[in-house]
Amino acid sequence: ITKWTFQEKNVLRVNSYVHHRANETQQHGIYRIKDELVIEVSISVYRDDKWQAYEAPKDDTLQVAAVMLDPYELKNMRKVKVLDIADGKALLYAGDIHLPDRHGVFTLLFDYKRYGYTWLEKKEIVEVRPFRHDDYPRFLSAAWVYYANVFAVMLGFVVISKYELNRTGITYFGTSKCFCGKRKFDRFFMAKSKYEYVKSFERVDSLLQNTYIVIRLDGHSFHRFTATHAFSKPNDIRALNLANACALTVLETYPDILLAYGQSDEFSFMLKKSSKLYKRRESKLVSNIVSLFTAVYVWKWKEFFGDLELQYPPSFDGRAVLYPDEKSLRDYFSWRQADCHINNLYNTAFWALVQDPKNPRTESIAQNILKDTDSAAKNEMLFKDFNVNYNNIIPIFRKGSVILRKTVADEENSEETGDIISMNLSVYDNALNLENNNSSNKRSKKKIKTKLKIVTVVEHCDIISDNFWIDNNDILKA
């Protein structure tokens, strides 16, 4: 007992721990699923003042395991041979492990604990990978039917093409100068010219499905445009009404546009989430909406500016932005309306200083006065120095323009009838199915046949708060 306590007897030692594939001798750090591994462990026991080969009792077995979280493989080891080592003898044990059909990081674990002997534990961490594409057989016997199907389709295409081309009078491997009756037939060859390859250089720009598309256009160099045409400062109501008229035309042209918001020289158009307009191609959407808006701006110029001649044509740039959900879409429009308020408050204060009849400032001096002021300071300056209450400025300047469709009663076409109330909805595909309010008509003997119509309206309201979106919930649900 004393010798065992001071490790002078029955002390076990692992001299070597090697793993490799069957029929190989080189050890690897990465194996493949379903590999056959051989794990070799040489063990010595210290006894009688020397290291001797350790041979487990007949009723005892040494085991090795492949472990991830739990053992996947647990195998008994066999005796191989006695080895000579530097300080004595050792007995080599080997165990065969079939790696499971699961890739990941495995631990090759040898754990031997027996009463009367010191404990042995040896482990190696290896990576087990799945089959690579070149690890599979080149041709699978089970897939011959699919191989045959591919070649049958190819052969069928060639045979049918040859038959059809010869039937219409075109030689399959011949010249384009072929005849169908008395008529020269070379239309087929004209459709597929050698120059058609250049079409492959076009970029596919379809926008992501199930997202809200917002097309925002901005006036290009409108600072120069407004100066050339002597726009009123800080806001020219004629220009704002003209931009609203252009946006109205865009909404009437494209039913997929449910909402538009504009301020200053910019407008944003929101398409419904399920829109398939122009197959959601970005270039088509942006170019058509921007070009239509620009054309109407020129076309209706005299309607709003009268005798003021257009000195040169205006231009607008556009971009498409995608928003994945209702929150981000609402935040976008909130951002644009907040920007409208900030810019208009600054411009109102700026031009009040520049156009002050008592003490006019230069534009640079006005900028220096306002550069470090916040909204409260600007409001106080307007009220104190210019007797202007910013909240009393007309809403189109402060809040911008909101353009949308609304369902209203068509009073001109309403009729009295003894039947129940019926409603004729517009063909516009985004109209909501409205419920009849019968309670208000119970007192009347005669019912009113109410016809509804959808009109496009321009409002100057708050779109940051929830009230607008609750009152117009069909915009987001379309």
Side-chain angles (χ1 to χ4, degrees):
I1 294 176
T2 304
K3 288 185 177 181
W4 182 84
T5 303
F6 289 99
Q7 295 193 356
E8 295 178 357
K9 180 183 179 181
N10 290 356
V11 177
L12 298 180
R13 181 181 71 182
V14 174
N15 300 297
S16 64
Y17 184 73
V18 180
H19 50 83
H20 54 80
R21 291 190 182 94
N23 303 322
E24 292 184 8
T25 59
Q26 183 180 358
Q27 179 170 307
H28 300 279
I30 301 177
Y31 295 102
R32 192 185 64 188
I33 59 174
K34 300 183 179 181
D35 273 351
E36 298 287 346
L37 297 189
V38 177
I39 301 175
E40 297 176 343
V41 183
S42 67
I43 305 174
S44 299
V45 59
Y46 190 75
R47 186 184 295 150
D48 299 332
D49 297 331
K50 62 181 179 181
W51 289 101
Q52 302 178 22
Y54 173 72
E55 183 173 355
K58 292 183 179 180
D59 58 348
D60 191 12
T61 57
L62 283 74
Q63 294 179 322
V64 67
V67 179
M68 186 175 276
L69 294 177
D70 297 314
Y72 273 78
E73 291 284 337
L74 182 63
K75 297 294 185 180
N76 294 335
M77 305 187 76
R78 64 184 185 278
K79 301 173 186 177
V80 180
K81 61 181 178 179
V82 177
L83 302 176
D84 292 324
I85 58 177
D87 51 359
K89 300 286 186 179
L91 182 58
L92 180 65
Y93 291 85
D96 300 322
I97 284 186
H98 177 77
L99 290 179
D101 188 7
R102 181 183 178 89
H103 61 276
V105 177
F106 282 80
T107 300
L108 302 180
L109 176 64
F110 171 73
D111 190 6
Y112 185 71
K113 297 176 181 178
R114 297 295 182 269
Y115 291 113
Y117 292 92
T118 55
W119 292 355
L120 295 179
E121 185 181 47
K122 193 71 176 177
K123 54 186 176 182
E124 288 278 345
I125 297 177
V126 297
E127 180 183 344
V128 178
R129 63 169 176 82
F131 283 93
R132 288 194 294 261
H133 69 279
D134 55 353
D135 288 335
Y136 293 95
R138 176 64 67 179
F139 295 101
L140 302 177
S141 57
W144 281 112
V145 61
Y146 301 104
Y147 302 150
N149 183 49
V150 170
F151 288 104
V153 171
M154 295 169 60
L155 179 62
F157 174 78
V158 173
V159 171
I160 293 175
S161 299
K162 179 177 177 62
Y163 170 76
E164 289 294 326
L165 293 175
N166 287 333
R167 186 172 66 87
T168 53
I170 300 179
T171 303
Y172 187 60
F173 294 109
T175 176
S176 61
K177 296 181 179 179
C178 303
F179 292 84
C180 182
K182 296 183 180 180
R183 178 184 170 192
K184 187 175 181 180
F185 194 94
D186 58 356
R187 188 179 306 165
F188 172 79
F189 298 92
M190 293 172 61
K192 299 288 184 180
S193 70
K194 65 179 181 179
Y195 306 109
E196 193 174 1
Y197 76 94
V198 298
K199 190 175 181 180
S200 63
F201 293 103
E202 295 183 7
R203 180 173 62 91
V204 178
D205 59 351
S206 296
L207 297 173
L208 192 65
Q209 299 288 334
N210 295 321
T211 55
Y212 295 102
I213 303 175
V214 174
I215 308 296
R216 185 168 88 243
L217 56 85
D218 290 294
H220 177 66
S221 298
F222 251 59
H223 181 76
R224 180 171 68 93
F225 184 83
T226 57
T228 302
H229 295 87
F231 278 22
S232 300
K233 304 295 182 179
N235 297 288
D236 194 314
I237 191 64
R238 300 170 300 173
L240 295 177
N241 288 334
L242 174 57
N244 290 343
C246 298
L248 280 168
T249 303
V250 173
L251 259 74
E252 292 168 357
T253 305
Y254 297 107
D256 278 13
I257 299 177
L258 304 183
L259 177 67
Y261 176 77
Q263 51 118 344
S264 185
D265 61 339
E266 75 167 55
F267 245 99
S268 299
F269 298 93
M270 186 207 91
L271 281 74
K272 62 182 181 181
K273 201 171 187 178
S274 60
S275 175
K276 303 295 182 183
L277 182 63
Y278 297 125
K279 299 181 180 179
R280 298 178 72 93
R281 290 176 58 187
E282 180 181 5
S283 56
K284 295 277 286 186
L285 290 170
V286 174
S287 60
N288 277 279
I289 291 176
V290 173
S291 61
L292 176 60
F293 188 96
T294 307
V296 177
Y297 199 94
V298 176
W299 180 41
K300 292 193 174 186
W301 173 266
K302 284 190 173 294
E303 181 179 335
F304 291 91
F305 283 87
D307 296 334
L308 180 62
E309 291 293 333
L310 190 62
Q311 301 299 316
Y312 65 90
S315 60
F316 295 84
D317 61 75
R319 74 212 69 179
V321 187
L322 301 181
Y323 295 96
D325 52 30
E326 296 176 6
K327 181 182 182 304
S328 57
L329 180 70
R330 286 186 53 180
D331 287 346
Y332 168 78
F333 284 105
S334 299
W335 169 51
R336 299 320 303 145
Q337 189 165 63
D339 185 71
C340 172
H341 163 70
I342 294 171
N343 290 338
N344 185 68
L345 178 58
Y346 179 88
N347 289 334
T348 303
F350 176 84
W351 288 106
L353 292 170
V354 174
Q355 298 174 353
D356 185 4
K358 298 179 181 178
N359 183 22
R361 280 82 158 181
T362 64
E363 294 186 7
S364 60
I365 293 176
Q367 290 176 354
N368 290 330
I369 294 174
L370 297 175
K371 66 178 182 179
D372 295 323
T373 59
D374 56 9
S375 297
K378 293 184 181 73
N379 275 292
E380 183 179 0
M381 184 194 72
L382 287 173
F383 186 77
K384 181 179 178 181
D385 298 341
F386 302 100
N387 197 26
V388 174
N389 187 341
Y390 182 77
N391 293 326
N392 293 335
I393 296 176
I394 59 176
I396 189 174
F397 296 159
R398 294 183 289 111
K399 299 180 180 180
S401 299
V402 182
I403 304 179
L404 69 161
R405 297 182 182 87
K406 287 193 172 183
T407 304
V408 298
D410 188 0
E411 298 179 356
E412 295 181 357
N413 296 321
S414 299
E415 300 175 357
E416 289 187 357
T417 177
D419 300 329
I420 62 172
I421 297 177
S422 63
M423 291 184 292
N424 179 22
L425 294 178
S426 170
V427 296
Y428 176 58
D429 61 353
N430 291 317
L432 296 177
N433 293 323
L434 303 179
E435 296 182 356
N436 294 318
N437 186 1
N438 293 323
S439 59
S440 61
N441 294 276
K442 288 181 179 179
R443 301 171 186 171
S444 176
K445 294 182 179 180
K446 290 188 176 182
K447 307 297 183 178
I448 299 177
K449 184 178 180 181
T450 305
K451 292 185 178 181
L452 302 179
K453 63 180 180 179
I454 293 179
V455 295
T456 306
V457 297
V458 180
E459 297 182 351
H460 313 291
C461 57
D462 180 9
I463 61 174
I464 298 178
S465 65
D466 294 334
N467 293 336
F468 172 82
W469 301 98
I470 293 174
D471 295 339
N472 302 280
N473 59 353
D474 55 314
I475 293 177
L476 298 178
K477 302 302 180 184

